[in-house]
Amino acid sequence: MPIYLDNNASTHLDPRVLEAMLPYLSGPAANASSLHRYGRLARDAVEAARAQIAQLVGAQPGEVIWTSGGTESNNLAIKGVAGNLAPARLLYGASEHPAVMEAAESLVSRGWTVQAIAVDKLGHVVESALQAQLARGKLKLVSLMRANNETGVIQDVARFAPAIHAAGAWLHVDAVQAAGKLPVDMAELGADLMSLSSHKIYGPKGIGALLVRADVELRPLLHGGAQERGLRGGTENVAAIAGFGRAAELVMQELEQRSAHLLPLRERLEAGLSSIPGLLIFGAGAERLPNTCQFALAGYDGEALLMQLDRRGIAVSSGSACASGSGEPSHVLIAMGYDAVTAKGAIRVSLGKDNTADDVDRLLAVLAEIARTLIAA
Amino acid sequence: MNKLSNTPVYHTPIYLDYAATTPLDPRVLEAMLPLLIEDGLHANPASSHGPGFRARAAVEKARAQVAALIRAEPTEIIWTSGATESNNLAIKGALEFRGAVQAHVITSRIEHKCVLDTCRYLETRGVRVTYLKPGAQGLVAPEQVMEALTPDTALVSLMWVNNEIGTVHEIERLAPLLRERGVLLHVDAAQAAGRVNIDLSQVPVDLLSLSAHKAYGPKGIGALFVRRRPRARLAPQMHGGGHEQGMRSGTLAPHQIVGMGAAFEILAREGPTEAVRLSALRERLWSRLQSLPNLHRNGDPDHAAPHVLNVSFEGVEGESLRASLPDLAVSSGSACSSATQEPSYVLRALGRDDELANASLRFSVGRRSTEVEIDTAAERVCRQVARLREISALWD
Amino acid sequence: MDMQSTSSNDANAYGYPPRIWQLFQQAPRAGRFEPGTPGVVAGKAGTPAARSVLSLEMRFEQGRVIDARFRAYGCPSSIAVGAWIAQWSQGREPAELAALSAAHLRAELEIPEDRAHCALMGEDALRDLLANIKT
């Protein structure tokens, strides 16, 4: 089995989560919107999971809308808010996930003014840039991620929230990477909308959630059916929802324990990396997720390094999975001020709760070997 | 006077709601499990490493399986979260790509709610929509569609099989006529796949929506067929990452996709024989129910999907009828609107009055249905309808 | 009888209030009197379009109800209202019948807010019946 160090792209399914899903995969057919007995069993499972997701982020069950995943959540948040309003202004951080950036940019054709807020070399939103944008008025929505998927850099969203609200805008927080790795509380962050994904927290793929405060008006992205208070049509994916709920419950039980496991592993990795000449860790001076380390080996192309590691049975990423293979340098690193060559050298290691010190040591040994052959060549 | 023997008492439940959702076939679950276990194919199929490549290979195999059932090319299959998203993407995507606010769309009054809701949304953006009224038996004729065409008609959206009354539209006859006129045709085939023959190598449909959970596959996954020659073009509705040829972003869920592939592979093998069996069960149910007088069969027996029977019962009220049959999983209208308890808009479009539309049940049979179940179900329905008619102030 | 009630609870899949469910299930006194039965007075309320019709028949002897029947087309609550009134009316005089209000019916049967119209229909049908006595 390869050593899997790409947990920000996707985590494996926790066996305890699978156990929670199986009754809805092998049980009687159940459309949660049907009124009969089977339908009600499915509905109960859906509502129990809704309460679990709400609890994970300190929200109310009624604020949870199921989606097909983080991408849909981000699309629904941005286009959903915009869809109910006359064209105005929208801001997003320059290092946001493509789902946020592209959803936001799609509004330009509908008359919206969409602007990216600069981030600094550490990946933090530049506060003065944000303040300047806030002062320009007609602002309706600001979208900021809690933690970056590539660098793991944590954004101090809570600090910006009061000014964003004072400017008359809602705050959408993409918490897809933060949930399960950090405590995430909607009220503490000041979020009006928040995106979550199941398969980043050891739940199944194909399910996510958008948290929406009661006072935020959304236009649905998927029309049809009265599901999710009319905000998201489609038959509920009961098994996946039950799995997502269980995964959230496990996060609540194990978050501290997982962090306590991950942080020393990452420190071990970064201590090892520091002995490799010409190695750069992105966002090193910033507070980061305990599991994420993005780095570049000077003179080495990220995609090539990725393939070499893959041949030696180690799965890592060059950035976000979505952009993999595109040949484009990471927009996150470019936004942080790195040149294209450096950015194209990036490798992201994202540890999971079941990785071990042996996994890290094996990666370090292989990297050292590759670095030696590079120097020799 | 003593009705105790007829009062509703809890029995072994009988599931006759396969048009709402089907149980996952155990063979499908078996195909999915390797992707759900630790050390399985859990990686993100967009990742460029061994585990990612293996997940992607599983996704591509399933794409070929889904394409095969409808005789399409694998590259013509776009994964979505289900038929609702497929219908949204097809209709909004096609209209948005043309950038045509002045455009005209033709659909029918008996489409699935998500098609109608999407069309109503488009109307708020300036698109004109014609909602064709079906005949009394629930069919929209190709001629009706052709007569409704205007020079700016951009899209026709017509379902292959109606989910409530099981009527089968003549898509084979309609599609070439529209192709000749250069009008895009979208077909919602969520109920049709595996139940009627779909051959897109012969029938020039441009866009076709599919669902897995109506076909013994998992929930949360569907597909949109997007024809490549001539190419049907869509504006994406879900942005970010550029998955699925840029038409639908978002991390793919390989376990669900593999489940849909396995389900469609089974449909391709077993669908035709199963259709014959289901039609026989449907007719058996109808003949058993006819021990009651004053019934109305909704739909067209000559253009009927094998799995659906919709019946209106005179002289009883719908809510009491449903409450009397707690152990019979049937539906009154489509599952998506049953919570509101409004009389079915499909039956009203057929010209049924409110009272009769409300006192209707949709029975839908499937893979686990048996003759014994059908007979038992018919007996329970007959008994309860007779009881309610005896109580009814409208029945003499 | 225990088994019956256990089964009944199971069968009450839509969660109707227990009184309503029991009366809906058993529908005691559903039906009508043979035509020509002496002393029978009838009353009716509701419309088919509103999906609720209640028809009451009471047989009076010496100024008191000695027997009653109901027929109802409508939801389980409206059937329960008919059955309850038919049973409750036994042995009562018109003045007592006239005192029955929709509020009383709602409290007695635990009729929820969204079904308040069923109780009103019960009161209306009874009023109509009482009016027919006087003529």
Side-chain angles (χ1 to χ4, degrees), chain B residues 1 3-4 6-10 315-326 341-343 354-356 358 387-388 390-396, chain C residues 4 7-8 10-14 16 21 24-32 44 48-49 51 53-55 69-76 79 115:
Chain B
M1 192 66 212
K3 310 238 164 35
L4 262 180
N6 282 344
T7 56
V9 169
Y10 183 69
V316 299
E317 189 276 335
E319 185 186 335
S320 283
L321 179 60
R322 289 186 289 276
S324 300
L325 297 165
Q341 293 294 309
E342 286 297 310
D354 270 11
E355 289 129 83
L356 210 48
N358 178 261
R387 183 183 96 91
L388 289 171
E390 217 173 309
I391 299 172
S392 173
L394 293 186
W395 189 257
D396 284 301
Chain C
Q4 176 75 43
S7 307
S8 304
D10 273 343
N12 185 6
Y14 296 83
Y16 290 100
W21 180 247
F24 166 64
Q25 270 194 302
Q26 299 178 356
R29 298 182 189 278
R32 56 187 149 170
K44 199 169 180 177
R51 289 208 292 277
V53 179
L54 175 61
S55 137
R69 296 283 185 274
F70 84 96
R71 285 180 303 148
Y73 162 85
C75 65
I79 290 173
R115 296 305 157 102

Side-chain angles (χ1 to χ4, degrees), chain B residues 152-173:
Chain B
D152 61 349
T153 303
L155 178 78
V156 171
S157 181
L158 192 68
M159 66 205 321
W160 207 308
V161 169
N162 181 274
N163 51 312
E164 289 193 36
I165 55 175
T167 41
V168 183
H169 278 129
E170 291 177 90
I171 301 298
E172 292 93 340
R173 204 152 68 76

